[in-house]
């Protein structure tokens, strides 16, 4: 059953103890919930969202900061699905370059293109840039797979370390 995450901003979540113990966490601020969610998904644990009903604030002032929260969530999206960003930018750039290239081709064969026109160079730069951005997207996908594999290895190392520690304590007691 695939994980269906509808919101990454819901910070009220429950995790099994063994799941949290299998993670090596780096964040200590409000972004920790994104790090936990990202690593839990990467390690293949099942995630299920439970709806919550929010009520309006009665007193006090919100500590929500849009810029910081938006940047952290964009980073989360980028780390989880980099092709969303690179693919979109790459296809827009490639498409724009192609449209300009078709326009330049039309002008050339219609006989109205003057020599030395910089539009040809611009179209070629956009097309090559779009291909390059798409290539970055494919490389980023490979990096995401490598990151997931590293997280799995870290989890296995933590589990082995705990087993060794528990065996050592058992021998000392016996």
């Amino acid at each position: 059953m695939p994980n269906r995450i509808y919101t990454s901003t819901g910070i009220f979540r429950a995790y099994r103890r063994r799941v949290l113990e299998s993670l090596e966490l780096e964040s200590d601020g409000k972004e920790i919930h994104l790090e936990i969610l990202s690593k839990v998904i990467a390690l293949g644990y099942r995630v299920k969202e439970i709806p919550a009903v929010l009520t309006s604030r009665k007193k006090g002032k919100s500590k929500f900061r849009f810029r910081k929260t938006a940047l952290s969530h964009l980073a989360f999206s980028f780390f989880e699905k980099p092709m969303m960003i690179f693919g979109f930018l790459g296809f827009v750039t490639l498409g724009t370059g192609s449209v300009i290239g078709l326009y330049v081709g039309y002008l050339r064969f219609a006989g109205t293109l003057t020599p030395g026109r910089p539009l040809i160079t611009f179209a070629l730069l956009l097309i090559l840039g779009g291909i390059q951005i798409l290539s970055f997207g494919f490389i980023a996908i490979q990096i995401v797979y490598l990151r997931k594999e590293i997280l799995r290895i870290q989890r296995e190392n933590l589990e082995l370390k705990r087993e060794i520690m528990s065996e050592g304590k058992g021998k000392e007691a016996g």
Side-chain angles (χ1 to χ4, degrees):
M1 182 174 133
N3 291 318
R4 294 184 190 252
I5 305 297
Y6 296 101
T7 178
S8 60
T9 58
I11 59 173
F12 183 72
R13 292 193 178 92
Y15 298 96
R16 296 186 189 276
R17 181 183 196 130
R18 67 178 176 82
V19 171
L20 289 177
E21 287 176 349
S22 70
L23 302 177
E24 288 191 30
L25 299 174
E26 300 162 11
S27 300
D28 58 356
K30 290 176 79 174
E31 293 81 25
I32 195 166
H33 68 282
L34 292 173
E35 181 184 0
I36 292 172
L37 183 61
S38 173
K39 288 183 176 181
V40 163
I41 291 170
L43 289 171
Y45 291 112
R46 190 172 40 115
V47 177
K48 183 178 180 196
E49 286 188 347
I50 300 170
V53 178
L54 301 176
T55 59
S56 62
R57 181 181 302 277
K58 301 291 184 209
K59 291 183 180 181
K61 187 178 177 186
S62 173
K63 293 172 187 70
F64 176 77
R65 299 291 174 255
F66 178 76
R67 183 176 180 184
K68 186 175 181 181
T69 304
L71 289 175
S72 68
H73 287 77
L74 281 174
F76 174 76
S77 297
F78 176 73
F79 284 125
E80 288 304 310
K81 296 181 180 176
M83 197 49 126
M84 284 176 50
I85 295 170
F86 284 120
F88 176 75
L89 291 175
F91 280 121
V92 166
T93 306
L94 185 63
T96 305
S98 298
V99 168
I100 292 173
L102 289 172
Y103 174 69
V104 168
Y106 168 75
L107 291 178
R108 171 72 174 103
F109 290 113
T112 58
L113 183 66
T114 58
R117 195 164 179 167
L119 205 53
I120 298 169
T121 306
F122 185 60
L124 287 174
L125 286 175
L126 285 176
I127 291 170
L128 292 174
I131 292 170
Q132 190 170 15
I133 292 170
L134 286 172
S135 299
F136 287 154
F138 290 119
I139 292 170
I141 288 172
Q142 295 301 314
I143 291 171
V144 167
Y145 287 131
L146 288 173
R147 178 180 164 270
K148 289 180 180 182
E149 189 62 31
I150 288 170
L151 288 172
R152 286 187 189 108
I153 291 169
Q154 284 178 342
R155 180 187 63 192
E156 291 171 5
N157 285 343
L158 277 174
E159 290 170 359
L160 284 173
K161 199 181 289 185
R162 286 193 185 98
E163 285 179 25
I164 292 171
M165 296 295 280
S166 65
E167 287 176 7
K169 288 180 183 179
K171 289 180 182 178
E172 289 175 10

